[in-house]
Amino acid sequence: MRIQLVAILLIGSFVVFACNEQREGVLPSQPELGKYQMELKGNTFDLTHTIELKPSGNVLGWGIIKNAGDSKDLGYNYYFSGTYTLEDGVVSIFQESYFQVGEAGKQYDSKEMLVLVQTRSASSDYSIKSNFTELHFICPPNSICLEDRIFKRVD
């Protein structure tokens, strides 16, 4: 009876320890998952940039054009897919495939008409602010960045 009790306690301790260890591995990466957006208002067009951080380190990004002040999407300005890492409060995004409008002078098109222009680019880094509700673009060294680019969590 005593051996059975010790065995049950050992098994129970192992299960609790294993569940806690698994939970610890999942929790830190969960808050950043979701969509973040930044809107740029113009005289003629508005552009909404979206970054979607997905499970397993995958990321999607796209820019949607609308007539200024209108809610109807006209089309895509660009689209990318890639991967991201999260380390020390910084999200680094690596674009593996980048598509953009292929026709000169055209501002938007359907997603299917965008042209692949780049594979494997350098990373873009974003600092995490306000408990994962904002991503702030980090201006690379030796670059000129005139205004803050802040993406706000939308879901």
Side-chain angles (χ1 to χ4, degrees), residues 70-105:
D70 196 359
S71 62
K72 183 181 178 232
D73 294 348
L74 297 174
Y76 284 80
N77 181 258
Y78 69 90
Y79 172 84
F80 72 85
S81 63
T83 58
Y84 73 94
T85 60
L86 172 62
E87 190 172 322
D88 297 328
V90 173
V91 175
S92 296
I93 294 177
F94 302 89
Q95 297 174 355
E96 294 178 8
S97 298
Y98 186 89
F99 300 82
Q100 69 182 29
V101 176
E103 191 175 322

Side-chain angles (χ1 to χ4, degrees), residues 8-19:
I8 290 172
L9 287 174
L10 283 174
I11 291 171
S13 297
F14 176 75
V15 169
V16 168
F17 178 75
C19 288

Side-chain angles (χ1 to χ4, degrees), residues 28-118:
S29 65
Q30 292 305 307
E32 85 274 4
L33 297 179
K35 290 182 185 173
Y36 295 83
Q37 289 185 334
M38 178 183 69
E39 293 184 83
L40 298 176
K41 304 285 186 185
N43 292 331
T44 307
F45 297 112
D46 294 338
L47 175 59
T48 301
H49 298 280
T50 302
I51 296 172
E52 183 176 6
L53 303 175
K54 299 177 116 351
S56 304
N58 295 315
V59 62
L60 298 174
W62 59 91
I64 298 288
I65 299 273
K66 300 176 184 184
N67 283 320
D70 196 359
S71 62
K72 183 181 178 232
D73 294 348
L74 297 174
Y76 284 80
N77 181 258
Y78 69 90
Y79 172 84
F80 72 85
S81 63
T83 58
Y84 73 94
T85 60
L86 172 62
E87 190 172 322
D88 297 328
V90 173
V91 175
S92 296
I93 294 177
F94 302 89
Q95 297 174 355
E96 294 178 8
S97 298
Y98 186 89
F99 300 82
Q100 69 182 29
V101 176
E103 191 175 322
K106 199 170 185 182
Q107 298 294 316
Y108 59 89
D109 213 333
S110 67
K111 187 175 179 181
E112 298 77 29
M113 295 302 293
L114 297 181
V115 177
L116 177 65
V117 293
Q118 184 174 327

